[in-house]
Amino acid sequence: MTMGKAAITGTGMSTIGRNTGRPAMDHLLEAAQQALASAGLTRADIDGICTYPGKTDNSPGQSPLGTGEVRGALGLKTRWHSAVPDGPAQMAPIMVAAMAVMTGQARHVLCFRALTESSSQSAGRRASIAGAGKPQIGGWLSWLVSVGAMSASNWAGWMATRYFHEFGMTREHLGMVATGQRQFALMNPAAVMQKPLSMADYHDARMISSPLGLFDCDIPIDGAAVVIVSAADAARDCARAPLRIEALGSALQSQETWDQRPDLTTMGAHDASADLWARTDFKPADVDVLALYDGFSIFVPMWLEALGFCGHGEAKDFIAAGNIGPGGRFPVNTGGGQLSGGRLHGFGLLHEACQQLWGDTGARQVADAKTAVCGMGGGFIAGAMLLNRD
């Protein structure tokens, strides 16, 4: 079963950086203007707005803008809106927007992600630390924090340790992920990291949460990205060839924790990927570009296996064979990913995938790219999307 009734028609990304000092709204307006120009639309054309996860203060700078204030700042006259804190990871607003245009709730939906995680950190409040700045922690986080697992780097470290034990992967393989994405970043002027990264540099960097070191972790930044999702008939009138949302897949395991999945060498990505491929006649071999969530380097091999690009436990050999780096058959995160490009919680990865399908990525362009797969999320939640340009 394919969707064929929703498409991505425009994307935009602000100038991103560390400690920029720019308000989140400035980043958002820049990205929105780019996306509108990309699609050949005006603000008057936008009748829906959607974001992840909505305005929240649970981590400094993680999500400072809500749909209402962005609607007002852009002068939009929307008739439909949504903020999705609990859904198929960061893919949720794109999925909800697709459903909105398919059911006639809107014609063109502006989906956004804006953050100032870099400049909002302080000695007392750190981004992405469980319960940062709060006097009390409840729910599943309380079980992790009580054993010193304060951040996702610890939780991903457990998964990497188990994966190493089961399948013989080493830090050298994760280093290939990190150095390969840095090579892509050096071809992307918008990427945060512009210094070459050698394997020696990777190994010499400090350990963060064994076996994950500094360059295995994504980079908190200030920035924004916007994706416009349009109804199929409305997309035909846009400036660029519509990128058809061929299929979507989602997952939520019954135990909403990072550490209680029966097999720690898999993630929600495996469930979302199975759902994705069940909804299309396309196969992994048909994919030209991969945009895989890389909050930590270990997520890349797990997403590769989840999506069927190699068998379970085979990612280390798949990576070592040169498949995912520059010149590889299945290039991953061609803009540098979150490890070298900067963390926009998956929206930057999707932006890059769309730019590849439109042929706008310069030196890093994948020849004749027509199909892309995007996977967002780590741990127990995930969303996956297949895009195709006719």
Side-chain angles (χ1 to χ4, degrees):
M1 180 182 75
T2 61
M3 293 180 61
K5 297 181 180 178
I8 292 177
T9 53
T11 66
M13 190 166 73
S14 73
T15 301
I16 61 175
R18 309 189 75 177
N19 300 312
T20 64
R22 293 179 71 194
M25 188 64 80
D26 283 7
H27 287 284
L28 187 283
L29 294 176
E30 182 185 351
Q33 288 166 355
Q34 283 186 24
L36 288 169
S38 170
L41 297 172
T42 69
R43 291 177 296 174
D45 295 312
I46 302 297
D47 55 358
I49 187 168
C50 195
T51 190
Y52 161 90
K55 191 169 186 175
T56 177
D57 191 39
N58 64 345
S59 180
Q62 189 193 71
S63 192
L65 301 178
T67 54
E69 58 199 305
V70 170
R71 181 182 189 270
L74 286 170
L76 303 178
K77 304 296 183 183
T78 57
R79 55 195 175 95
W80 178 89
H81 72 281
S82 177
V84 192
D86 189 6
Q90 301 85 354
M91 188 73 74
I94 310 297
M95 292 182 167
V96 170
M99 290 186 279
V101 300
M102 289 170 64
T103 56
Q105 305 305 307
R107 300 279 285 164
H108 301 286
V109 181
L110 185 147
C111 305
F112 71 89
R113 180 82 182 100
L115 44 79
T116 54
E117 280 197 298
S118 180
S119 60
S120 297
Q121 297 186 62
S122 66
R125 291 198 72 194
R126 299 296 303 277
S128 303
I129 299 297
K134 294 186 177 181
Q136 199 169 35
I137 299 173
W140 62 273
L141 282 174
S142 64
W143 298 99
L144 300 180
V145 170
S146 62
V147 295
M150 298 297 293
S151 81
S153 64
N154 305 127
W155 318 335
W158 290 338
M159 299 168 74
T161 297
R162 187 66 196 181
Y163 191 97
F164 279 25
H165 173 76
E166 290 285 346
F167 302 118
M169 179 175 273
T170 67
R171 294 202 71 230
E172 190 81 7
H173 296 104
L174 295 187
M176 294 175 189
V177 174
T179 56
Q181 292 190 191
R182 183 62 61 88
Q183 287 180 269
F184 279 128
L186 296 177
M187 293 184 276
N188 178 13
V192 170
M193 304 303 288
Q194 292 295 322
K195 180 180 178 181
L197 177 69
S198 69
M199 188 64 75
D201 295 331
Y202 170 82
H203 284 297
D204 289 344
R206 70 180 185 274
M207 190 62 64
I208 299 298
S209 185
S210 182
L212 304 178
L214 179 64
F215 296 115
D216 293 303
C217 305
D218 63 7
I219 305 167
I221 59 167
D222 303 337
V226 166
V227 175
I228 297 176
V229 177
S230 302
D233 59 335
R236 289 194 291 268
D237 297 325
C238 289
R240 295 190 176 202
L243 305 180
R244 186 177 73 251
I245 300 177
E246 167 69 18
L248 294 166
S250 62
L252 174 66
Q253 69 185 56
S254 57
Q255 293 176 313
E256 296 180 85
T257 67
W258 283 63
D259 61 322
Q260 296 300 309
R261 188 175 176 91
D263 182 358
L264 286 182
T265 67
T266 67
M267 303 190 297
H270 292 71
D271 307 317
S273 298
D275 190 33
L276 175 81
W277 294 122
R279 299 176 184 276
T280 178
D281 293 329
F282 281 72
K283 305 297 181 186
D286 299 317
V287 175
D288 302 307
V289 177
L290 286 70
L292 306 182
Y293 199 79
D294 59 335
F296 302 96
S297 59
I298 186 62
F299 291 171
V300 171
M302 296 177 86
W303 267 109
L304 286 168
E305 293 179 3
L307 285 163
F309 290 96
C310 54
H312 192 37
E314 296 177 359
K316 68 180 190 303
D317 300 320
F318 187 82
I319 292 168
N323 282 298
I324 70 171
R329 169 62 184 87
F330 295 104
V332 173
N333 298 344
T334 56
Q338 302 186 149
L339 297 178
S340 284
R343 177 171 71 212
L344 276 167
H345 292 104
F347 267 60
L349 304 179
L350 180 56
H351 168 77
E352 172 70 14
C354 292
Q355 294 300 302
Q356 282 282 350
L357 297 187
W358 282 319
D360 288 341
T361 55
R364 64 190 187 279
Q365 179 64 45
V366 175
D368 198 30
K370 292 184 178 179
T371 304
V373 68
C374 182
M376 295 187 194
F380 59 87
I381 54 174
M385 175 190 298
L386 189 67
L387 291 172
N388 179 252
R389 175 179 61 85
D390 293 328

Short mmCIF file of all heavy atoms in Angstrom, two decimals, residues 262-302:
data_model
loop_
_atom_site.label_atom_id
_atom_site.label_comp_id
_atom_site.label_asym_id
_atom_site.label_seq_id
_atom_site.Cartn_x
_atom_site.Cartn_y
_atom_site.Cartn_z
N PRO A 262 13.55 -6.32 25.22
CA PRO A 262 14.10 -7.68 25.38
C PRO A 262 15.44 -7.87 24.69
O PRO A 262 16.30 -8.61 25.17
CB PRO A 262 13.01 -8.56 24.74
CG PRO A 262 11.75 -7.77 24.90
CD PRO A 262 12.15 -6.34 24.76
N ASP A 263 15.64 -7.20 23.54
CA ASP A 263 16.91 -7.32 22.82
C ASP A 263 17.50 -5.92 22.68
O ASP A 263 17.04 -5.11 21.88
CB ASP A 263 16.67 -7.94 21.45
CG ASP A 263 17.96 -8.12 20.65
OD1 ASP A 263 19.03 -7.73 21.16
OD2 ASP A 263 17.89 -8.64 19.53
N LEU A 264 18.54 -5.62 23.45
CA LEU A 264 19.14 -4.30 23.44
C LEU A 264 19.97 -4.03 22.18
O LEU A 264 20.50 -2.94 22.02
CB LEU A 264 20.01 -4.08 24.68
CG LEU A 264 19.28 -3.86 26.00
CD1 LEU A 264 20.27 -3.61 27.12
CD2 LEU A 264 18.31 -2.68 25.90
N THR A 265 20.07 -5.01 21.29
CA THR A 265 20.76 -4.76 20.03
C THR A 265 19.77 -4.31 18.95
O THR A 265 20.13 -4.18 17.78
CB THR A 265 21.51 -6.01 19.54
OG1 THR A 265 20.58 -7.04 19.19
CG2 THR A 265 22.46 -6.53 20.61
N THR A 266 18.54 -4.07 19.33
CA THR A 266 17.54 -3.50 18.44
C THR A 266 16.88 -2.31 19.13
O THR A 266 17.03 -2.12 20.34
CB THR A 266 16.45 -4.52 18.06
OG1 THR A 266 15.67 -4.85 19.23
CG2 THR A 266 17.06 -5.79 17.49
N MET A 267 16.15 -1.52 18.35
CA MET A 267 15.44 -0.36 18.88
C MET A 267 14.03 -0.31 18.29
O MET A 267 13.66 -1.16 17.47
CB MET A 267 16.16 0.94 18.51
CG MET A 267 17.60 1.07 18.94
SD MET A 267 18.24 2.78 18.69
CE MET A 267 18.12 2.97 16.90
N GLY A 268 13.30 0.72 18.66
CA GLY A 268 12.02 0.95 18.03
C GLY A 268 12.16 1.10 16.52
O GLY A 268 11.20 0.88 15.77
N ALA A 269 13.36 1.46 16.06
CA ALA A 269 13.64 1.58 14.63
C ALA A 269 13.29 0.30 13.88
O ALA A 269 12.83 0.35 12.73
CB ALA A 269 15.12 1.91 14.42
N HIS A 270 13.52 -0.84 14.50
CA HIS A 270 13.24 -2.11 13.83
C HIS A 270 11.74 -2.30 13.59
O HIS A 270 11.33 -2.79 12.54
CB HIS A 270 13.80 -3.27 14.66
CG HIS A 270 15.31 -3.29 14.69
ND1 HIS A 270 16.05 -2.35 15.38
CD2 HIS A 270 16.20 -4.13 14.11
CE1 HIS A 270 17.34 -2.61 15.22
NE2 HIS A 270 17.46 -3.68 14.45
N ASP A 271 10.93 -1.89 14.53
CA ASP A 271 9.49 -2.01 14.39
C ASP A 271 8.96 -1.00 13.36
O ASP A 271 8.10 -1.32 12.53
CB ASP A 271 8.80 -1.79 15.74
CG ASP A 271 9.37 -2.70 16.82
OD1 ASP A 271 9.60 -3.89 16.52
OD2 ASP A 271 9.61 -2.22 17.94
N ALA A 272 9.47 0.24 13.42
CA ALA A 272 9.04 1.26 12.48
C ALA A 272 9.43 0.90 11.05
O ALA A 272 8.67 1.13 10.11
CB ALA A 272 9.64 2.61 12.86
N SER A 273 10.61 0.31 10.89
CA SER A 273 11.08 -0.06 9.55
C SER A 273 10.23 -1.18 8.96
O SER A 273 9.89 -1.16 7.76
CB SER A 273 12.54 -0.48 9.61
OG SER A 273 13.36 0.59 10.05
N ALA A 274 9.89 -2.16 9.78
CA ALA A 274 9.02 -3.24 9.30
C ALA A 274 7.68 -2.69 8.85
O ALA A 274 7.12 -3.11 7.82
CB ALA A 274 8.83 -4.28 10.41
N ASP A 275 7.16 -1.72 9.60
CA ASP A 275 5.89 -1.09 9.25
C ASP A 275 6.02 -0.32 7.93
O ASP A 275 5.13 -0.37 7.08
CB ASP A 275 5.48 -0.15 10.38
CG ASP A 275 4.07 0.39 10.26
OD1 ASP A 275 3.20 -0.35 9.75
OD2 ASP A 275 3.84 1.54 10.67
N LEU A 276 7.15 0.36 7.75
CA LEU A 276 7.38 1.13 6.54
C LEU A 276 7.36 0.24 5.30
O LEU A 276 6.62 0.51 4.34
CB LEU A 276 8.74 1.84 6.64
CG LEU A 276 9.19 2.61 5.39
CD1 LEU A 276 8.51 3.97 5.35
CD2 LEU A 276 10.70 2.77 5.35
N TRP A 277 8.17 -0.82 5.31
CA TRP A 277 8.30 -1.65 4.10
C TRP A 277 7.03 -2.43 3.80
O TRP A 277 6.78 -2.82 2.65
CB TRP A 277 9.49 -2.60 4.23
CG TRP A 277 10.81 -1.90 4.28
CD1 TRP A 277 11.74 -1.97 5.27
CD2 TRP A 277 11.37 -1.02 3.29
NE1 TRP A 277 12.83 -1.19 4.98
CE2 TRP A 277 12.63 -0.59 3.76
CE3 TRP A 277 10.92 -0.54 2.05
CZ2 TRP A 277 13.46 0.28 3.04
CZ3 TRP A 277 11.72 0.33 1.34
CH2 TRP A 277 12.98 0.73 1.84
N ALA A 278 6.18 -2.64 4.82
CA ALA A 278 4.91 -3.33 4.60
C ALA A 278 3.92 -2.44 3.82
O ALA A 278 2.91 -2.94 3.33
CB ALA A 278 4.30 -3.75 5.93
N ARG A 279 4.24 -1.16 3.70
CA ARG A 279 3.31 -0.21 3.09
C ARG A 279 3.74 0.24 1.69
O ARG A 279 3.19 1.21 1.16
CB ARG A 279 3.14 1.00 4.01
CG ARG A 279 2.56 0.65 5.36
CD ARG A 279 2.50 1.86 6.28
NE ARG A 279 2.03 1.50 7.61
CZ ARG A 279 0.75 1.38 7.95
NH1 ARG A 279 -0.19 1.62 7.05
NH2 ARG A 279 0.40 1.04 9.17
N THR A 280 4.73 -0.42 1.11
CA THR A 280 5.22 0.00 -0.19
C THR A 280 5.78 -1.19 -0.96
O THR A 280 6.16 -2.21 -0.35
CB THR A 280 6.32 1.07 -0.04
OG1 THR A 280 6.83 1.42 -1.33
CG2 THR A 280 7.47 0.55 0.82
N ASP A 281 5.84 -1.06 -2.27
CA ASP A 281 6.49 -2.07 -3.10
C ASP A 281 7.97 -1.79 -3.28
O ASP A 281 8.69 -2.61 -3.84
CB ASP A 281 5.81 -2.13 -4.48
CG ASP A 281 4.37 -2.64 -4.40
OD1 ASP A 281 4.09 -3.46 -3.50
OD2 ASP A 281 3.54 -2.21 -5.22
N PHE A 282 8.42 -0.62 -2.84
CA PHE A 282 9.85 -0.32 -2.89
C PHE A 282 10.62 -1.24 -1.94
O PHE A 282 10.07 -1.73 -0.95
CB PHE A 282 10.12 1.14 -2.50
CG PHE A 282 9.84 2.15 -3.57
CD1 PHE A 282 8.53 2.45 -3.94
CD2 PHE A 282 10.87 2.81 -4.21
CE1 PHE A 282 8.26 3.38 -4.93
CE2 PHE A 282 10.62 3.75 -5.20
CZ PHE A 282 9.32 4.03 -5.57
N LYS A 283 11.89 -1.43 -2.24
CA LYS A 283 12.78 -2.26 -1.43
C LYS A 283 14.02 -1.45 -1.06
O LYS A 283 14.31 -0.43 -1.70
CB LYS A 283 13.20 -3.53 -2.18
CG LYS A 283 12.03 -4.37 -2.69
CD LYS A 283 11.18 -4.90 -1.57
CE LYS A 283 10.03 -5.76 -2.11
NZ LYS A 283 9.09 -6.17 -1.02
N PRO A 284 14.79 -1.90 -0.06
CA PRO A 284 16.02 -1.18 0.28
C PRO A 284 16.94 -0.94 -0.91
O PRO A 284 17.58 0.12 -1.01
CB PRO A 284 16.67 -2.09 1.33
CG PRO A 284 15.51 -2.76 2.00
CD PRO A 284 14.52 -3.00 0.90
N ALA A 285 17.00 -1.88 -1.84
CA ALA A 285 17.88 -1.73 -3.00
C ALA A 285 17.48 -0.56 -3.88
O ALA A 285 18.29 -0.09 -4.71
CB ALA A 285 17.90 -3.01 -3.82
N ASP A 286 16.25 -0.06 -3.75
CA ASP A 286 15.78 1.05 -4.57
C ASP A 286 16.19 2.40 -4.01
O ASP A 286 15.99 3.43 -4.66
CB ASP A 286 14.25 1.01 -4.67
CG ASP A 286 13.73 -0.26 -5.33
OD1 ASP A 286 14.32 -0.67 -6.34
OD2 ASP A 286 12.75 -0.84 -4.81
N VAL A 287 16.74 2.43 -2.81
CA VAL A 287 17.05 3.69 -2.11
C VAL A 287 18.39 4.24 -2.57
O VAL A 287 19.38 3.52 -2.69
CB VAL A 287 17.04 3.47 -0.59
CG1 VAL A 287 17.48 4.74 0.14
CG2 VAL A 287 15.63 3.05 -0.13
N ASP A 288 18.43 5.56 -2.79
CA ASP A 288 19.65 6.23 -3.22
C ASP A 288 20.35 6.98 -2.08
O ASP A 288 21.57 7.11 -2.07
CB ASP A 288 19.34 7.25 -4.32
CG ASP A 288 18.69 6.59 -5.53
OD1 ASP A 288 19.26 5.62 -6.05
OD2 ASP A 288 17.59 7.05 -5.93
N VAL A 289 19.57 7.53 -1.15
CA VAL A 289 20.10 8.37 -0.08
C VAL A 289 19.47 7.96 1.24
O VAL A 289 18.26 7.71 1.31
CB VAL A 289 19.78 9.86 -0.35
CG1 VAL A 289 20.27 10.72 0.80
CG2 VAL A 289 20.40 10.32 -1.65
N LEU A 290 20.28 7.89 2.30
CA LEU A 290 19.80 7.50 3.62
C LEU A 290 20.01 8.65 4.60
O LEU A 290 21.09 9.24 4.67
CB LEU A 290 20.54 6.27 4.15
CG LEU A 290 20.19 4.91 3.53
CD1 LEU A 290 20.70 4.81 2.10
CD2 LEU A 290 20.80 3.78 4.38
N ALA A 291 18.96 8.97 5.36
CA ALA A 291 19.03 9.98 6.41
C ALA A 291 18.64 9.28 7.71
O ALA A 291 17.46 9.06 7.97
CB ALA A 291 18.09 11.14 6.12
N LEU A 292 19.65 8.90 8.50
CA LEU A 292 19.42 8.03 9.65
C LEU A 292 19.78 8.74 10.95
O LEU A 292 20.88 9.31 11.08
CB LEU A 292 20.26 6.74 9.51
CG LEU A 292 20.05 5.96 8.21
CD1 LEU A 292 20.90 4.69 8.23
CD2 LEU A 292 18.57 5.63 7.99
N TYR A 293 18.89 8.66 11.90
CA TYR A 293 19.07 9.38 13.15
C TYR A 293 20.37 8.97 13.84
O TYR A 293 20.61 7.80 14.11
CB TYR A 293 17.88 9.11 14.09
CG TYR A 293 17.76 10.14 15.17
CD1 TYR A 293 17.20 11.38 14.90
CD2 TYR A 293 18.22 9.89 16.46
CE1 TYR A 293 17.09 12.34 15.89
CE2 TYR A 293 18.11 10.85 17.45
CZ TYR A 293 17.55 12.07 17.16
OH TYR A 293 17.45 13.03 18.13
N ASP A 294 21.21 9.96 14.11
CA ASP A 294 22.54 9.70 14.66
C ASP A 294 22.78 10.54 15.90
O ASP A 294 23.80 11.21 16.03
CB ASP A 294 23.62 9.96 13.61
CG ASP A 294 23.60 11.40 13.08
OD1 ASP A 294 22.52 12.04 13.14
OD2 ASP A 294 24.64 11.89 12.62
N GLY A 295 21.81 10.48 16.84
CA GLY A 295 22.06 11.10 18.13
C GLY A 295 23.34 10.56 18.73
O GLY A 295 24.08 11.28 19.41
N PHE A 296 23.60 9.29 18.46
CA PHE A 296 24.86 8.63 18.81
C PHE A 296 25.23 7.72 17.65
O PHE A 296 24.36 7.19 16.97
CB PHE A 296 24.71 7.84 20.12
CG PHE A 296 24.27 8.70 21.27
CD1 PHE A 296 22.93 8.78 21.62
CD2 PHE A 296 25.19 9.47 21.95
CE1 PHE A 296 22.51 9.61 22.64
CE2 PHE A 296 24.78 10.31 22.99
CZ PHE A 296 23.44 10.37 23.33
N SER A 297 26.52 7.53 17.45
CA SER A 297 26.98 6.78 16.28
C SER A 297 26.42 5.36 16.24
O SER A 297 26.17 4.82 15.16
CB SER A 297 28.51 6.73 16.26
OG SER A 297 29.01 6.11 17.45
N ILE A 298 26.16 4.75 17.40
CA ILE A 298 25.65 3.38 17.44
C ILE A 298 24.28 3.27 16.79
O ILE A 298 23.89 2.21 16.29
CB ILE A 298 25.61 2.84 18.89
CG1 ILE A 298 25.21 1.37 18.93
CG2 ILE A 298 24.67 3.68 19.76
CD1 ILE A 298 26.17 0.44 18.22
N PHE A 299 23.54 4.39 16.74
CA PHE A 299 22.22 4.34 16.12
C PHE A 299 22.30 4.06 14.62
O PHE A 299 21.38 3.48 14.06
CB PHE A 299 21.48 5.66 16.34
CG PHE A 299 21.05 5.93 17.76
CD1 PHE A 299 20.55 7.18 18.11
CD2 PHE A 299 21.16 4.97 18.74
CE1 PHE A 299 20.15 7.44 19.41
CE2 PHE A 299 20.77 5.22 20.05
CZ PHE A 299 20.26 6.47 20.38
N VAL A 300 23.37 4.50 13.98
CA VAL A 300 23.47 4.33 12.53
C VAL A 300 23.50 2.85 12.14
O VAL A 300 22.70 2.41 11.30
CB VAL A 300 24.68 5.09 11.96
CG1 VAL A 300 24.91 4.74 10.50
CG2 VAL A 300 24.46 6.60 12.11
N PRO A 301 24.40 2.01 12.71
CA PRO A 301 24.34 0.59 12.36
C PRO A 301 23.01 -0.06 12.73
O PRO A 301 22.52 -0.95 12.01
CB PRO A 301 25.50 -0.03 13.13
CG PRO A 301 25.90 0.96 14.15
CD PRO A 301 25.55 2.30 13.58
N MET A 302 22.39 0.38 13.82
CA MET A 302 21.12 -0.22 14.20
C MET A 302 20.01 0.17 13.23
O MET A 302 19.15 -0.66 12.89
CB MET A 302 20.79 0.17 15.64
CG MET A 302 21.81 -0.38 16.64
SD MET A 302 21.53 0.12 18.35
CE MET A 302 20.38 -1.15 18.87
#
